[in-house]
Amino acid sequence: MAKNPWAKNPWFETVQEAQRRAKKRLPKSVYSSLVAGTQAGVTLHDNIDAFSELGYAPHVVGAQPDRELSTTVMGQEISFPVMISPTGVQAVDPDGEVAVARAAAARGTAMGLSSFASHPIEEVTAVNDKIFFQIYWLGSRDDIAARVERARAAGAKGLIVTTDWVFNIGRDWGSPEIPEKVDFKALLRLAPEIAVKPRYAMDWVKGGKVVIPDLTAPNLPADKSQTGPTFFGAYYEWMTTPPPTWDDLKWLRELWGGPFMVKGITRLDDAKRAVDIGATALSVSNHGGNNLDGTPATIRLLPGIADAVGDQIEVLLDGGIRRGSDVAKAVALGARAVMIGRAYLWGLAANGQTGVENVLDLLRMGLDGVVMGLGHKSVHELSRDDLIIPDGFERSFGTI
């Protein structure tokens, strides 16, 4: 087996180090899929850079010896305001979503599981009882209803409907070509990349046999015994399904009948519509920079949305979270919690389940340090008074 260069020191001190290790371990095409954004990558970078424009106004006396970081999201208690955002086909590690779910459970938090995940929902809920199933508007209402009932039977605690996505003509910014399926032809084409990444290759050898990465979508069929379509087969059906209306989302919310999140909100009027259909939560999101390029960073949009509807619906944020201080800034501006994507995928790529736990630990420690430095006893005491917000930082659009 290929030697692990970090065997003596598997712990990494920053999310950026997790990213560096992920880049070193993964084949170029696999790594590129984790950092890609749409078109020029303007939104992708703004999601990250906008956090650095916010400053803190700390106290130097009066730090509290103990801090409370826990909160709730859609009825589930979590140990701190960070949860796992749903991401598709986690082929950076053989255990994929199951490893991530175990890590989230070990750190007392919830996980969103993608419809395009590489492991069945039943395997994921078996290791973490705080799973929210993410769904795309894909296929007929009957298809969607069957998918919802499977999630319910598997023990999902809530539903996340993703709306923040557009289909761009041409290659996404930095995005590699992904094979339709991993067959001999695809392996032959990728062989030069894989050959120079022996540790990654050997991780897919189990019991003397090579485990081929699964590029199917096993959570799309109504029954777990059925074979899911290929990733691109599912992607094509999604592209050719007419986009949902607000009436469709209301129907889905009523069908589910439990905690329900609308992910992808950037406008005030859309936030109000999420309230109107009875959603439990919304996520201020631009799909991590994979939506319309030029959409503002989510942290710029959060304050206006939280002010407008935060007393009527749980407001979350995703996009650009790399440090515990980013989490604190989001909470101070009105988020109940944040959802992370690339950060935990880099941890997974760097060191499997332990790497995801490492990322969660870093975010928790960073958040705790900010809460202490600001003189608070609880994460719930964070507010705009703790921040230095430059003129013109916030963005707000869509009248209500």
Side-chain angles (χ1 to χ4, degrees):
M1 181 173 292
K3 183 179 179 181
N4 181 352
W6 302 294
K8 292 183 178 180
N9 184 25
W11 173 265
F12 41 83
E13 301 290 342
T14 66
V15 171
Q16 287 69 29
E17 173 62 13
Q19 181 181 1
R20 188 186 73 82
R21 295 188 186 189
K23 184 177 183 179
K24 189 168 184 178
R25 173 178 172 266
L26 296 176
K28 182 178 179 180
S29 294
V30 179
Y31 175 75
S32 295
S33 69
L34 301 186
V35 296
T38 52
Q39 299 180 10
V42 171
T43 297
L44 173 70
H45 293 300
D46 195 34
N47 273 351
I48 300 167
D49 296 343
F51 280 99
S52 65
E53 297 179 26
L54 297 169
Y56 283 116
H59 292 282
V60 294
V61 176
Q64 302 298 313
D66 299 299
R67 278 83 54 196
E68 174 57 56
L69 302 183
S70 64
T71 190
T72 61
V73 172
M74 296 211 294
Q76 299 300 305
E77 293 186 6
I78 57 177
S79 62
F80 71 125
V82 175
M83 60 169 281
I84 300 295
S85 187
T87 62
V89 191
Q90 296 176 6
V92 300
D93 183 88
D95 291 331
E97 295 84 3
V98 175
V100 175
R102 289 195 186 105
R107 296 302 182 262
T109 195
M111 173 182 177
L113 178 70
S114 174
S115 290
F116 289 174
S118 58
H119 285 263
I121 185 172
E122 292 81 8
E123 293 181 10
V124 177
T125 55
V127 299
N128 188 326
D129 64 358
K130 297 177 181 180
I131 300 298
F132 303 135
F133 184 63
Q134 177 271 342
I135 197 163
Y136 290 108
W137 193 261
L138 186 157
S140 68
R141 279 195 175 191
D142 287 344
D143 294 331
I144 294 167
R147 215 167 289 140
V148 165
E149 293 310 315
R150 178 180 171 187
R152 193 193 311 277
K157 296 298 193 298
L159 206 65
I160 300 173
V161 59
T162 295
T163 63
D164 53 340
W165 183 265
V166 294
F167 300 101
N168 287 277
I169 297 173
R171 195 69 59 82
D172 287 353
W173 178 84
S175 179
E177 181 180 351
I178 301 174
E180 169 72 16
K181 59 181 178 179
V182 183
D183 53 15
F184 178 77
K185 183 178 179 181
L187 288 173
L188 186 64
R189 180 173 61 80
L190 294 171
E193 291 185 30
I194 297 174
V196 296
K197 303 292 183 178
R199 182 184 165 212
Y200 175 80
M202 292 306 299
D203 282 347
W204 292 88
V205 177
K206 293 189 175 183
K209 296 182 179 180
V210 177
V211 179
I212 301 297
D214 188 358
L215 292 185
T216 64
N219 290 308
L220 291 184
D223 189 281
K224 63 181 179 181
S225 64
Q226 298 173 314
T227 302
T230 65
F231 176 82
F232 279 101
Y235 191 89
Y236 176 77
E237 185 177 0
W238 180 25
M239 284 195 297
T240 55
T241 300
T245 65
W246 282 106
D247 285 341
D248 288 326
L249 298 189
K250 182 179 180 181
W251 166 83
L252 182 59
R253 198 276 303 164
E254 291 173 346
L255 174 70
W256 174 250
F260 185 89
M261 180 191 297
V262 180
K263 181 178 181 292
I265 300 297
T266 58
R267 297 174 57 101
L268 299 177
D269 44 6
D270 284 346
K272 182 61 168 60
R273 295 299 297 272
V275 172
D276 292 343
I277 68 167
T280 311
L282 66 83
S283 180
V284 181
S285 173
N286 52 41
H287 213 96
N290 282 290
N291 197 346
L292 285 174
D293 198 27
T295 304
T298 52
I299 193 67
R300 300 188 192 278
L301 302 170
L302 172 64
I305 292 173
D307 286 349
V309 299
D311 60 343
Q312 304 168 69
I313 192 171
E314 296 177 13
V315 176
L316 286 84
L317 172 139
D318 68 77
I321 300 294
R322 300 292 185 269
R323 300 171 179 83
S325 60
D326 298 337
V327 180
K329 290 171 182 176
V331 174
L333 290 177
R336 177 179 289 256
V338 304
M339 298 197 292
I340 60 170
R342 290 183 177 90
Y344 80 79
L345 289 173
W346 291 328
L348 181 66
N351 199 21
Q353 176 184 336
T354 301
V356 180
E357 293 172 2
N358 193 156
V359 166
L360 291 171
D361 288 343
L362 290 172
L363 296 178
R364 182 186 179 93
M365 289 188 296
L367 172 64
D368 184 59
V370 172
V371 174
M372 179 178 69
L374 294 171
H376 296 315
K377 294 181 178 180
S378 168
V379 71
H380 299 288
E381 296 176 0
L382 292 169
S383 73
R384 292 188 195 185
D385 291 339
D386 296 311
L387 302 179
I388 302 169
I389 306 173
D391 292 341
F393 175 81
E394 298 179 18
R395 306 286 190 274
S396 185
F397 43 85
T399 59
I400 56 174

